[in-house]
Amino acid sequence: SLECTPEIFDERWRDRVRGRRKTMGPMATEDEPEANDTPGARDRRAIRNEADPKVLAAKVRALGELTDKKTIPVVIDVMERNSDLVRETAFVTLLKTKDTECLDVIWNYGLSHADGVVRAYTAKLCGRLNLEFAVAKLEAQLEDRNWYARAEAAVALALLKDVKAMAGLRRIVASDPSEKTQVGAMDALAMLGEDAAMAVPLIVEKCCDVDGA
């Protein structure tokens, strides 16, 4: 009569005792019982509904290596929270991903996210996880409206050895409105080594400008 499995009843009871819900019956925001009856669905619901940063970080950490592609967007969304602990925990958890389908979701979903910080963290993941299929989106992200997203896209492209991105990296060094993004692009060019040799005069000029020479 409560329209739930024993596992869901247990979760509802704990939330009721903690004062997080007023009824043991189903609420309008909850999925159908069948959709709630898998471990992955329970994990996703627990993460979406958690407000405490420390508890949320612990729940994300407990996921271990992610193999369910439906859970990837939920963990990526966590990086939108204004908490370094939560963001870094989600990042480290996603960094453990090996499943091909899950990796595809990371760059497809994360680089298209509405939040600039999430796009930045996803770019960082792309570089660290060697997600070569993400190169085109990362190149486009060099024009992102968020300085952090631009900077991390630059470094990711260098890690992926994308020499085609060098023109965009030089443009950032020369004229990006954010000095932090300029530094990110300089780091990226340095990582490309001899392939980026023609950018040396530009970088030297920028360094001289900073020193006032």
Side-chain angles (χ1 to χ4, degrees), residues 190-207:
M191 293 164 65
L192 288 169
E194 293 182 1
D195 289 331
M198 63 185 301
V200 171
L202 174 61
I203 295 175
V204 171
E205 180 183 347
K206 279 290 178 179
C207 291

Side-chain angles (χ1 to χ4, degrees), residues 81-134:
R81 304 285 186 98
N82 188 22
S83 165
D84 289 339
L85 172 63
V86 171
R87 287 171 176 165
E88 291 298 326
T89 302
F91 175 78
V92 171
T93 299
L94 290 164
L95 204 55
K96 300 174 184 176
T97 308
K98 297 182 178 66
D99 180 82
T100 303
E101 291 188 348
C102 290
L103 291 172
D104 284 342
V105 176
I106 286 177
W107 69 267
N108 274 301
Y109 182 79
L111 294 179
S112 301
H113 203 277
D115 186 82
V117 173
V118 175
R119 295 194 298 275
Y121 269 88
T122 303
K124 192 188 301 188
L125 283 165
C126 290
R128 297 280 292 275
L129 290 170
N130 197 32
L131 302 184
E132 296 179 351
F133 291 112

Side-chain angles (χ1 to χ4, degrees), residues 67-79:
T67 56
D68 181 0
K69 64 181 183 179
K70 292 181 180 179
T71 304
I72 297 293
V74 178
V75 178
I76 288 176
D77 286 343
V78 161
M79 296 190 292

